Every structure is written in C-alpha cells, then in structure tokens.
Amino acid sequence: MILVLGTIAVDTVINVESMPYTGGIVGTDSEKKYAGGSSANVSTALKVLGCGVRQAGAVADDEFGTFLMDDLADMGIDTSAVVVRKNGVTLHTYIVVDRAGSNFIIANGGTCRKDIAVEELPPEILDDVDVFYTDMSWPETSIHLARECRKNGIKVVYNLQNVPTENSLETSAGVDKMLSLSDLFIVSRTTLLKYESTRSIEDALRSLTGAATLAEGVIVTLGDEGASWYVDEECIHVPAFSGMDVVDTTGAGDAYIAGVIKSHFMGGRSRERSMEFASRVASLKCSQRGPRLMDLDSERERSLLEL
C-alpha cells in the first residue's frame, strides 16, 4: 500500500494549435474537465500499475470536490484520509496545451490550502502502508506523517514541486526538515535551479540537501532528456523513452514518479531498471490526453512495461 499526500484538483484542459504571443488570441474547439492534481495523478498512475493506494489531502464540499472524490473512488483508491472542508472552493486549474504537447497552467488555489490538522487524519492512516509519498502541499502534515513513517520503517519519498514563496505554506526550514526525514528526494531540474541559483545541478543538490542522509539518494528529472539518480557518489542517467507519439506532456512527471515507486520500492528492481520502467510509464502518459495515466488498453501499451 502506498500513502499519497498532496494536491487533488480539477483540471480543465484547453487544446490550442499554438501558444499565443503576448496580447494575442488563439481559438479552441477542445475543452475538457479532468480529475487531476499532482499527487492524485501519482495515485491514479500507481493504481493503473497495480498498486494499492490511499489518498490523503483536502477538497471542499463543492461540485469540484464531489467530482474528485467520486473519481478516486471509481478508480478503487482509498479516500478515507481525504478531508472534506465545508463551504469551500476546491483547487482547480486551467491547462493550455498546444499541438506539440507543451503546456502552461493557471491555478485557482481555492480555500483548502490551510494545513490539515493531525486530528483530522484517521488514526489508521498508516495501516498496511509500505511507502509514503508527498509533494508537501500540506507541510506540517507531511512532516508529522514522515516522522511516524520513520518510526515504523516505512519508506518516505518527497517531491519538491515549487520554490517556497511568501504566499506559500512551504518554507525553506520546512523543506530542510522534510529532507531530513526522507529516503528518496525527487525534484525537476527547473525547480532545483530556481531554488538554488547555480549553473550546476551537482552544486545545487549539495547546497539544497545539506546534511540530509537520503538513503535512496536524489532523482533529478530532466524533461525530454530523461532523469539522473544521484546516490552514494554515483550518478545513473537514463534518457527519456521516445517510443510513443506525444500529444500532452501534462502529468508526465507524476507518472514517472509512480513508475519509480512501483518498480523500485514495490517491485525491488534496481535503480537503473526502475528509471527505464518509469520513463516508459511517463511516455505512455504523454501519448494520452489529460493529466493522468489512464488504463493501458492496447497490447502494445502493456508490452512496453514488461521489462
């Protein structure tokens, strides 16, 4: 069982021929509402890959929140740890995707961003859990659960998605604390170099991770260049898998993370083999519209994951 804590959102995906220039106008004849949110994307990808998943986070009791809770339940994901806030607004986004699959995202944070109190979590939240994954959308909750996981021998995977700002719940001190409690740290090159303004990934990692032990090291995702896994003074680089046509890159990083967790932590594969598997999972996501990896219907799709 994997416990996933983080963003749950409704994504409205708008397809355009090309991105507009400043002040320009582009038209669309394709606009669709999807269940999304980065952590929920990880959860659903893990479920598609055959894992048991428990989602934690917060939504409101509005139309968006009901849509999301129904979607997770339909996927067979345990929602007992999702807090439903009364009279609120659920996080929702607008994602513009061009013909090449590139995108940008506009987010409405809603009213569910305040930290989740420990008392709001079910006491059995860690029952049968093997891996805890968080994007630290709720920092104090993430740190509390990570501490409990360390006490109980549960692996902790932390994905830093955004650089802390004055308006975010995340703080630099919180990032440091979360790193000290994590087994595996995952960060994109873009976020890493925004957080630590150096030209070198290696220098940025040394500065950011400091004295954190990180028994499983750090994965830096590199977009269409693949990813690098740094552990024990070694760097394992695996290029991106390019066997599928790209229609939408939204959620590719989330699918990649799910692939790593499934293959390495749940499947016991080596780091390199797990990166190859995760790259194929991300490529499959890019061949599908919307933010989530959906069921693998074709024989070709399923065969790609038989490493």
Side-chain angles (χ1 to χ4, degrees):
M1 171 76 74
I2 298 107
L3 173 64
V4 176
L5 170 65
T7 51
I8 313 169
V10 170
D11 298 326
T12 299
V13 178
I14 303 167
N15 295 103
V16 298
E17 185 70 14
S18 60
M19 294 299 179
Y21 57 84
T22 302
I25 299 174
V26 293
T28 182
D29 59 3
S30 175
E31 179 178 331
K32 187 173 180 180
K33 182 174 72 174
Y34 293 90
S38 179
S39 85
N41 295 343
V42 173
S43 291
T44 53
L46 284 166
K47 192 66 182 179
V48 168
L49 295 173
C51 298
V53 184
R54 180 173 298 136
Q55 179 72 51
V59 298
D61 60 350
D62 58 359
E63 178 185 352
F64 287 152
T66 301
F67 173 69
L68 290 168
M69 292 293 280
D70 289 347
D71 178 77
L72 290 170
D74 288 345
M75 286 286 298
I77 292 170
D78 180 350
T79 60
S80 61
V82 177
V83 175
V84 179
R85 302 211 190 275
K86 299 295 184 183
N87 303 314
V89 177
T90 299
L91 169 65
H92 55 284
T93 71
Y94 301 91
I95 304 173
V96 180
V97 183
D98 68 13
R99 186 173 59 177
S102 299
N103 67 76
F104 71 86
I105 302 172
I106 303 168
N108 181 331
T111 59
C112 298
R113 288 286 292 138
K114 70 176 183 178
D115 228 327
I116 300 169
V118 174
E119 295 76 20
E120 293 181 280
L121 300 172
E124 64 279 5
I125 189 170
L126 293 180
D127 285 2
D128 301 318
V129 170
D130 302 289
V131 179
F132 169 48
Y133 167 81
T134 182
D135 61 16
M136 212 171 158
S137 295
W138 289 278
E140 292 303 318
T141 316
S142 297
I143 290 168
H144 165 76
L145 288 172
R147 283 198 186 104
E148 294 303 306
C149 287
R150 291 298 287 264
K151 293 177 187 176
N152 290 280
I154 298 169
K155 297 293 186 181
V156 177
V157 179
Y158 167 37
N159 175 27
L160 174 64
Q161 292 195 330
N162 299 300
V163 177
T165 67
E166 291 182 2
N167 297 320
S168 66
L169 291 177
E170 301 94 331
T171 64
S172 295
V175 170
D176 291 343
K177 175 56 69 176
M178 193 66 217
L179 283 168
S180 73
L181 295 167
S182 299
D183 293 284
L184 175 63
F185 176 49
I186 303 175
V187 63
S188 72
R189 173 173 55 191
T190 301
T191 299
L192 176 64
L193 296 182
K194 281 182 180 178
Y195 197 98
E196 296 289 343
S197 54
T198 68
R199 294 185 179 182
S200 163
I201 288 176
E202 290 77 9
D203 287 346
L205 284 176
R206 279 191 289 270
S207 177
L208 176 58
T209 59
T213 305
L214 294 168
E216 291 287 349
V218 181
I219 295 176
V220 180
T221 57
L222 308 169
D224 60 8
E225 296 174 36
S228 295
W229 195 327
Y230 297 84
V231 63
D232 298 331
E233 304 300 322
E234 178 186 13
C235 175
I236 305 166
H237 177 76
V238 173
F241 181 76
S242 57
M244 303 294 290
D245 293 333
V246 175
V247 299
D248 187 351
T249 60
T250 310
D254 303 326
Y256 185 92
I257 290 168
V260 169
I261 293 172
K262 161 67 175 179
S263 182
H264 186 61
F265 291 103
M266 305 303 288
R269 287 174 172 159
S270 70
R271 295 182 179 101
E272 185 170 4
R273 294 269 287 175
S274 295
M275 294 174 78
E276 292 170 356
F277 178 83
S279 183
R280 293 184 179 215
V281 174
S283 182
L284 285 167
K285 162 62 223 37
C286 291
S287 72
Q288 303 172 350
R289 294 200 182 278
R292 291 184 175 175
L293 179 72
M294 303 306 290
D295 288 338
L296 307 178
D297 296 323
S298 73
E299 183 61 33
R300 184 188 179 211
E301 288 175 328
R302 291 190 291 272
S303 67
L304 282 175
L305 300 184
E306 295 175 359
L307 291 178

